Amino acid sequence: MPQRSTGLHTTLLGESGPLLAFCHGLFGQGKNWTTIARGLAADHRVLLVDMPHHGRSAWHDSFDFIQVADELAGLFDEDDPVRLVGHSMGGKAAMVLALRHPQLVERLCVVDVAPVAYRSRSEFAGFIAAMQAIDLERLERRSEADGAMADAVPDPTVRSFLLQNLRRDDAGWSWQPNLEVLGRDLDVVGGWPEEALAGAAPYDGPVLWVAGQNSGYVREEHAEAMRRWFPLHRRVTIKGAGHWVHSEQPEVFTEVLRRFLG
């Protein structure tokens, strides 16, 4: 397995105001939030985080939400509590962080994910298989990778999103995500660490839940779990958006988030 530097890679935008941090989802990178971050950087210090196993952050031997949340917690200080935003996998990590370290989180925005285990993960397994199937040693240009993934990932927008993770340096092409571990531990990524959180109290800070109208990740059957862990939440559904709410409807999402931040 390729060696990675230790720790989390972060980018800071803005010089004053409350600390606002963004946690991306599976196959994402901190820079995916750049457009929205720039819109909020006049009033916030905005931290874009490459999650563990992604971007320029460290790889580990396994994926575990407790470990991820505790690693994220090391970025923050209870004297400067963070306004935390997390999408999908990053939303689960943000929720776990708020439950385990509530003194670090001033308020929380969860984007299109619930504190539950999801049964179907075949789509993401297919993405990983398509990425791993590319012979990086023979690859000459990014367009070849795009063509090789076309059958397995027919949606050009999704394919482009995945290919943002393909990097080339002096050593050749490589994938930034830890595909081996993410693929092996996909059940954990799609799960929820219920047993590990058994002794945790509900998070009593304000929580905004943002769901995409065309997504099935936040459903009425999840309402009980949402209330149990995060009793002070309100839910907003954004029209014309699927799972990647913030990239599909960035202006609406930014306005909804801005109102929550105050």
Side-chain angles (χ1 to χ4, degrees), residues 9-218:
H9 178 267
T10 62
T11 302
L12 183 66
L13 290 79
E15 299 177 353
S16 62
L19 181 63
L20 172 64
F22 288 90
C23 300
H24 63 77
L26 188 61
F27 308 127
Q29 302 174 63
K31 68 180 184 180
N32 296 148
W33 289 99
T34 300
T35 299
I36 289 168
R38 285 174 176 163
L40 298 166
D43 304 314
H44 293 81
R45 291 165 292 136
V46 185
L47 193 69
L48 306 181
V49 183
D50 282 358
M51 299 291 284
H53 302 283
H54 292 77
R56 298 176 185 270
S57 287
W59 289 5
H60 305 296
D61 293 333
S62 62
F63 185 96
D64 176 78
F65 274 117
I66 302 299
Q67 179 185 31
V68 169
D70 289 352
E71 191 171 358
L72 284 170
L75 297 173
F76 310 123
D77 190 313
E78 60 183 288
D79 293 328
D80 184 23
V82 65
R83 299 173 166 203
L84 192 59
V85 182
H87 170 246
S88 197
M89 176 198 75
K92 285 189 174 182
M95 286 189 277
V96 175
L97 193 162
L99 292 168
R100 287 176 60 81
H101 309 278
Q103 74 280 6
L104 299 179
V105 182
E106 189 265 334
R107 62 184 56 209
L108 174 67
C109 174
V110 181
V111 186
D112 212 60
V113 73
V116 300
Y118 292 89
R119 295 185 184 90
S120 177
R121 291 173 281 277
S122 59
E123 181 181 33
F124 293 104
F127 293 163
I128 291 175
M131 296 160 80
Q132 289 179 316
I134 295 174
D135 187 343
L136 297 180
E137 292 186 0
R138 295 188 176 185
L139 189 67
E140 294 186 2
R141 55 186 64 87
R142 189 176 300 270
S143 59
E144 293 177 1
D146 182 75
M149 292 176 62
D151 288 342
V153 189
D155 187 325
T157 302
V158 175
R159 204 163 61 245
S160 175
F161 168 72
L162 296 174
L163 286 169
Q164 289 179 19
N165 290 287
L166 186 60
R167 285 193 69 201
R168 187 176 192 175
D169 55 25
D170 293 341
W173 293 96
S174 63
W175 290 107
Q176 287 191 303
N178 188 353
L179 297 179
E180 178 183 343
V181 164
L182 293 173
R184 187 194 68 207
D185 294 350
L186 200 55
D187 285 350
V188 179
V189 178
W192 175 251
E194 191 77 29
E195 292 184 8
L197 292 170
Y203 173 71
D204 61 4
V207 178
L208 173 67
W209 235 289
V210 181
Q213 180 188 36
N214 303 324
S215 173
Y217 278 81
V218 180

Side-chain angles (χ1 to χ4, degrees), residues 87 110-113 209-220 235-249 252-253 256:
H87 170 246
V110 181
V111 186
D112 212 60
V113 73
W209 235 289
V210 181
Q213 180 188 36
N214 303 324
S215 173
Y217 278 81
V218 180
R219 301 191 292 270
E220 286 306 316
R235 178 173 161 185
V236 173
T237 300
I238 295 182
K239 295 179 179 179
H243 184 52
W244 283 277
V245 188
H246 52 292
S247 61
E248 295 175 47
Q249 294 289 347
V252 177
F253 178 86
V256 168

